[in-house]
Amino acid sequence: MDAALLDRAQELLRDVTIWRLPPDAWTRPAAAVEALAAAWEAGDGVALGRAVSRLEVLSPNRADPIVDPADVPPPQPLRERLTSLVHIIADPGEGTAGKADGDDERR
């Protein structure tokens, strides 16, 4: 997959860990993170790009945010998922996840 896209995905995943949203607003970012993870696992760069764009659109930092003291950071399961994905994308290891078709050395 494109290195710039992977860098963008990692940066965005790190950013999500510091977002603050109303408690009931975390459903959509969580779904976008799962779509990103699925695209990575499938090695689908196009789907990964769409998932990254979808997550970017959900960012509360796209405009001057109104700070609400009731806003909360990501729920713990989502924070753990974000951290895990950043590390997996940064160091895919021996697996084939995230590789474009035809890039798997085992074929």
Side-chain angles (χ1 to χ4, degrees):
M1 271 190 243
D2 178 59
L5 176 59
L6 295 176
D7 288 344
R8 191 168 137 217
Q10 289 178 77
E11 180 180 349
L12 183 58
L13 291 167
R14 283 187 201 100
D15 286 349
V16 175
T17 65
I18 61 171
W19 289 1
R20 295 187 64 81
L21 298 171
D24 60 346
W26 279 106
T27 304
R28 290 174 60 198
V33 167
E34 288 309 315
L36 190 152
W40 165 258
E41 286 296 320
D44 186 340
V46 173
L48 183 69
R50 280 191 297 250
V52 166
S53 295
R54 179 178 168 202
L55 197 53
E56 286 176 332
V57 167
L58 297 172
S59 172
N61 303 324
R62 289 178 17 119
D64 290 331
I66 298 172
V67 178
D68 185 338
D71 289 352
V72 297
Q76 185 64 30
L78 179 56
R79 284 196 304 266
E80 291 171 5
R81 183 69 163 145
L82 292 163
T83 301
S84 174
L85 283 170
V86 167
H87 291 293
I88 290 168
I89 292 171
D91 185 18
E94 295 293 319
T96 60
K99 292 186 178 187
D101 289 340
D103 289 345
D104 184 347
E105 297 90 23
R106 298 181 299 175
R107 290 185 190 170

